[in-house]
Amino acid sequence: MVVLFVDKPRFFDTTLRDGEQTPGVTLTPEQKFEIACALSDIGVHVIEAGSAAASEGELTAIRLISDAGLGTECCTYVRALPYDIDLAADAGADSVHLVVPVSDLHIIEKMRKTREQVYTMAMSAVEYAKERGLVVELSGEDASRADQTFLNHLFTDGVAHGADRLCFCDTVGILTPEKTAEYVPPLTRIAPLSIHCHNDLGFALANTITALKSGASCAHTTVNGLGERAGNTPFEEVVMSLEVLYEKPTGIKMEKIYALSTLVSRHTGIDLAANKAIVGSMAFTHESGIHAHGVLRNARTYEPVPPEMVGRTRRIVLGKHSGSASVEASLTELGYTVTSEQLAGILSRVKKLGEEGKRVTDADLMAIADTVLLLVCAPVISMRQFSVVSGNRSIPTASVTMVVNGVEKTGAATGNGPVDAVIKALQDLVSDVADIRLEDFHVDAITGGADALVDVTVKLRKGGKVITSRGARTDIITASVEAVISGMNLLMREENEKRG
Ligand code: MN
């Protein structure tokens, strides 16, 4: 009998363990804790917090998370060794992800052991973990290349020795949906089965969904698909596929997906591909004139998932493909009312910028509109001077003097880098006038070399209003200041004036 989906698929999140194994990623215990809170809040069922045996920092993070009483199962990765299991139990974990190599390649080449030795280690580790009061998820590493008869035997006896759940690991991402549909069903008859996939050939999502459709009850996922090499199955893609394509409620608070994705990419420093499904910067952005026109009439024409569903907003980017409908919609959103003659004038300037290869930001559009409408306003904020101190023995510190609504103000702030420090100082200086938050910061080098022009794009929020603006200079700090000040001016002018 083929089971078509369990009632409610579970999510075992491994962002903090497999995701953290992404080359170059190290999370502090505090960062792990912050991500764990967000994971618990969004509704995942298990958080794999790390591997207790890996380092002192890992152990601290696991303790922080298990002590917090988040109400979400706190799991740690262990090898089939009493040492690992003791550390997990002492750190207060609820469960262990007990990983045992099961393919001959891993057993013989990596471990220099025999199937019998691995089998014996696995059984005594399961028994020991149960003695220590832990929930045990017994996991077969490289299961997709294992002798499936041996795997079935190991899993069956593992459950007889006390394992609560099982996990099939496609460690190197070589499963296909067809093989998944073949391998998974017999194992789900032994005990509840998790599926752990990697995305080396881009099949992680398809294999994970196939496993869930074949009777697996839990998906191992990472936020943004982080993980070694090409990464693990992306959490956001599984959730949205189940909800939108298979109409399977997950219980996950989908509207928090984008905030979680942003938190993880900020802490890990791993930027997403612009076209990454669901969470990439362009996933809900439209430029082409005809598409934008369709989306404005009925968003479903070119959007399979409404952006609000995952906590995002639709963006219409203007460029050479833009038509009058999308330019007019952007102008309306920015508070302008224009005649058709004015609109034609603005559109031709937008297209000209687009043809020069420029992205037309809100700030550019407002500058164009102000010129066309002859609305030239004095800026609310202007810079008098700023300086930044940064070095290997000092905390980056910025001091800034600027004029806000005609009043000269001076302030200083520290940050984790010179750009961060100067942006914080700017925010502090306007904070009694307006609460402006930096949502996104993006840098492009326009040409190569050390003297490259640096193009900084910032996204600023004031209440419900979000705008993007840009600064382009050879100096990254000056470019950042320029982008932030022009954005702040737009946000603050908005409230003081009624437009055209
Ligand atoms: Mn893995």
Side-chain angles (χ1 to χ4, degrees):
M1 184 192 74
V2 178
V3 185
L4 290 180
F5 283 123
V6 290
D7 244 5
K8 197 173 166 211
R10 286 159 48 87
F11 287 89
F12 178 112
D13 183 277
T14 181
T15 307
L16 302 179
R17 200 275 302 169
D18 222 346
E20 208 215 13
Q21 283 171 227
T22 306
V25 172
T26 314
L27 295 167
T28 64
E30 293 72 26
Q31 288 172 330
K32 280 197 166 196
F33 181 67
E34 195 182 345
I35 294 170
C37 292
L39 287 167
S40 172
D41 180 47
I42 207 169
V44 306
H45 303 83
V46 184
I47 295 170
E48 188 174 24
S51 49
S55 74
E56 199 55 43
E58 287 279 277
L59 201 55
T60 309
I62 295 162
R63 282 214 181 94
L64 261 179
I65 294 165
S66 63
D67 286 351
L70 297 176
T72 305
E73 183 182 313
C74 173
C75 182
T76 85
Y77 176 98
V78 295
R79 295 164 295 180
L81 301 171
Y83 172 77
D84 285 22
I85 294 164
D86 280 335
L87 284 174
D90 295 345
D94 301 307
S95 60
V96 285
H97 179 211
L98 200 173
V99 179
V100 177
V102 290
S103 69
D104 287 341
L105 182 65
H106 277 236
I107 292 172
I108 297 163
E109 303 288 333
K110 185 181 85 172
M111 302 282 284
R112 306 265 180 226
K113 290 193 188 305
T114 63
R115 287 188 187 184
E116 291 68 33
Q117 285 171 312
V118 163
Y119 172 91
T120 309
M121 282 177 74
M123 295 310 130
S124 46
V126 169
E127 277 181 359
Y128 187 59
K130 292 312 295 178
E131 268 171 41
R132 297 281 339 238
L134 295 155
V135 169
V136 174
E137 179 153 330
L138 176 61
S139 198
E141 185 182 17
D142 202 25
S144 34
R145 287 188 293 194
D147 170 357
Q148 297 298 304
T149 310
F150 171 66
L151 179 63
N152 199 304
H153 168 61
L154 183 117
F155 275 180
T156 305
D157 290 3
V159 170
H161 281 76
D164 303 273
R165 306 188 296 246
L166 303 168
C167 177
F168 187 105
C169 289
D170 182 28
T171 304
V172 291
I174 47 154
L175 271 184
T176 57
E178 292 77 13
K179 277 190 201 157
T180 309
E182 181 190 335
Y183 293 164
V184 163
L187 303 174
T188 65
R189 287 178 210 119
I190 307 169
L193 184 80
S194 299
I195 183 76
H196 178 112
C197 294
H198 279 266
N199 207 26
D200 294 76
L201 287 152
F203 267 126
L205 172 66
N207 292 333
T208 299
I209 296 284
T210 306
L212 293 174
K213 283 195 72 178
S214 306
S217 53
C218 177
H220 280 208
T221 57
T222 60
V223 176
N224 299 339
L226 274 181
E228 288 179 282
R229 308 183 311 279
N232 290 53
T233 309
F235 169 69
E236 59 281 359
E237 293 179 14
V238 179
V239 173
M240 297 318 294
S241 301
L242 289 175
E243 293 270 357
V244 173
L245 304 179
Y246 294 89
E247 295 175 6
K248 189 81 197 159
T250 59
I252 297 295
K253 294 176 191 154
M254 290 175 278
E255 69 284 0
K256 298 197 169 181
I257 283 180
Y258 190 56
L260 174 63
S261 160
T262 308
L263 174 70
V264 169
S265 84
R266 199 173 73 229
H267 281 340
T268 56
I270 302 285
D271 281 337
L272 299 175
N275 61 349
K276 164 77 181 69
I278 312 294
V279 290
S281 62
M282 303 297 271
F284 296 97
T285 299
H286 309 273
E287 180 190 323
S288 136
I290 294 165
H291 282 200
H293 191 60
V295 163
L296 290 168
R297 289 210 162 150
N298 182 338
R300 287 195 302 141
T301 50
Y302 293 101
E303 273 175 5
V305 176
E308 309 78 41
M309 209 171 167
V310 294
R312 301 195 63 176
T313 48
R314 173 177 311 117
R315 279 198 61 71
I316 307 286
V317 170
L318 303 177
K320 69 172 180 178
H321 302 293
S322 297
S324 56
S326 41
V327 172
E328 189 172 19
S330 302
L331 287 168
T332 307
E333 204 174 293
L334 292 169
Y336 292 86
T337 318
V338 292
T339 64
S340 56
E341 208 175 304
Q342 289 166 332
L343 179 61
I346 295 168
L347 178 64
S348 81
R349 288 177 189 232
V350 166
K351 281 180 177 287
K352 189 161 174 292
L353 268 182
E355 267 158 13
E356 287 165 13
K358 300 219 174 83
R359 285 167 294 131
V360 181
T361 65
D362 296 337
D364 296 328
L365 182 61
M366 290 179 83
I368 292 170
D370 284 352
T371 313
V372 171
L373 302 180
L374 299 174
L375 272 176
V376 181
C377 311
V380 180
I381 305 173
S382 58
M383 173 62 76
R384 276 281 154 79
Q385 70 82 29
F386 75 88
S387 63
V388 185
V389 179
S390 161
N392 66 344
R393 284 171 183 269
S394 61
I395 298 165
T397 307
S399 72
V400 172
T401 303
M402 56 186 193
V403 179
V404 182
N405 281 331
V407 182
E408 189 173 292
K409 294 181 167 193
T410 298
T414 58
N416 53 31
V419 171
D420 186 46
V422 77
I423 290 177
K424 278 188 181 143
L426 290 173
Q427 278 172 317
D428 285 354
L429 283 185
V430 300
S431 65
D432 54 338
V433 186
D435 179 24
I436 295 178
R437 287 189 292 131
L438 178 68
E439 294 244 311
D440 196 19
F441 179 89
H442 185 83
V443 181
D444 288 305
I446 297 174
T447 49
D451 59 348
L453 196 61
V454 176
D455 189 350
V456 172
T457 308
V458 298
K459 199 195 272 181
L460 298 172
R461 175 186 287 276
K462 180 167 151 289
K465 191 88 194 162
V466 180
I467 62 114
T468 53
S469 63
R470 222 177 58 206
R473 296 281 176 156
T474 49
D475 167 4
I476 186 170
I477 300 169
T478 311
S480 308
V481 167
E482 189 177 274
V484 170
I485 288 198
S486 88
M488 283 178 164
N489 270 318
L490 293 178
L491 283 171
M492 293 175 63
R493 259 157 63 180
E494 278 273 293
E495 69 177 13
N496 299 339
E497 292 161 32
K498 280 212 156 120
R499 305 199 155 269

